[in-house]
Amino acid sequence: MDARADDRWRGGLLAGLAVAALAAGGWWWWQAAPATGPVPAAVGSAGPTEADLDRLVLVSPEDGRVVAGPEADPDEPLVFHQEPGDPDATLISHTVWQDRSQLTPAGPPVVRQTSPSRGDRYLLVVSCTGTGKLVVSFSGSDDDGSDQPVACSGALFTVTLHAAGGPLRVRFTVTGGDVDLNARLAALF
């Protein structure tokens, strides 16, 4: 064999090994990828398990306020539960949107919107910290009302909204100083 043939043979072998390495890497990458698809609800039809007992909270069916239970962390999934047999038991279906923003008096308001069907129920959970005062207003709900001031002490402000059939819009504005907002809108069963 001459030198050219030997170089072609080595080049072909090197190209074949490179293709095999790429194929093996692609297969590994595909196998290691996280699963995608819908996320299951926090509580199935069987209700909470014993492992969920440290995360149970009691929610008032009238206004959606947390009545009893451990302090809620907006980053953690919550199981909303009332006594068995209560026809107004409030269970979270899924989170529609979550917003973490820093608001300033000179900056624009934060506006979040969803397009629900008439009669859909939602739980709006808001907390904030900072030197300013947060004002929450909403439209597109049967319960539309005046602006709701929220003290930015880190405490939770919750309200149940009943969709009127059009866009459901929630607006956050601030006065008197900067505010770190943490808000979540969750659909209720």
Side-chain angles (χ1 to χ4, degrees):
M1 240 197 267
D2 68 354
R4 282 188 187 190
D6 210 22
D7 287 341
R8 280 192 296 247
W9 184 82
R10 286 185 190 134
L13 181 62
L14 184 60
L17 289 174
V19 168
L22 283 173
W27 174 83
W28 173 84
W29 189 269
W30 181 73
Q31 291 293 325
T36 60
V39 177
V43 173
S45 59
T49 64
E50 199 167 316
D52 294 323
L53 291 178
D54 62 338
R55 298 185 305 161
L56 288 177
V57 293
L58 184 63
V59 177
S60 167
E62 288 82 31
D63 60 6
R65 294 190 186 276
V66 175
V67 178
E71 185 171 283
D73 180 356
D75 293 334
E76 292 294 320
L78 293 177
V79 178
F80 289 89
H81 172 74
Q82 288 182 301
E83 291 303 314
D86 185 347
D88 294 325
T90 303
L91 294 174
I92 296 292
S93 169
H94 64 279
T95 298
V96 177
W97 55 256
Q98 185 169 350
D99 194 296
R100 286 186 170 174
S101 299
Q102 184 174 27
L103 299 170
T104 61
V110 171
V111 179
R112 297 297 303 250
Q113 177 176 314
T114 188
S115 298
S117 299
R118 179 167 188 70
D120 287 353
R121 295 182 329 133
Y122 295 90
L123 180 65
L124 177 64
V125 180
V126 179
S127 68
C128 60
T129 56
T131 59
K133 180 172 271 187
L134 182 68
V135 178
V136 180
S137 59
F138 44 87
S139 62
S141 168
D142 292 338
D143 310 309
D144 285 355
S146 59
D147 295 344
Q148 304 288 323
V150 176
C152 290
S153 62
L156 291 178
F157 167 79
T158 60
V159 63
T160 301
L161 303 173
H162 297 85
L168 178 61
R169 183 174 295 137
V170 181
R171 184 174 191 254
F172 303 97
T173 56
V174 66
T175 59
D178 294 351
V179 166
D180 288 322
L181 169 70
N182 192 346
R184 173 176 41 191
L185 184 71
L188 300 175
F189 283 107

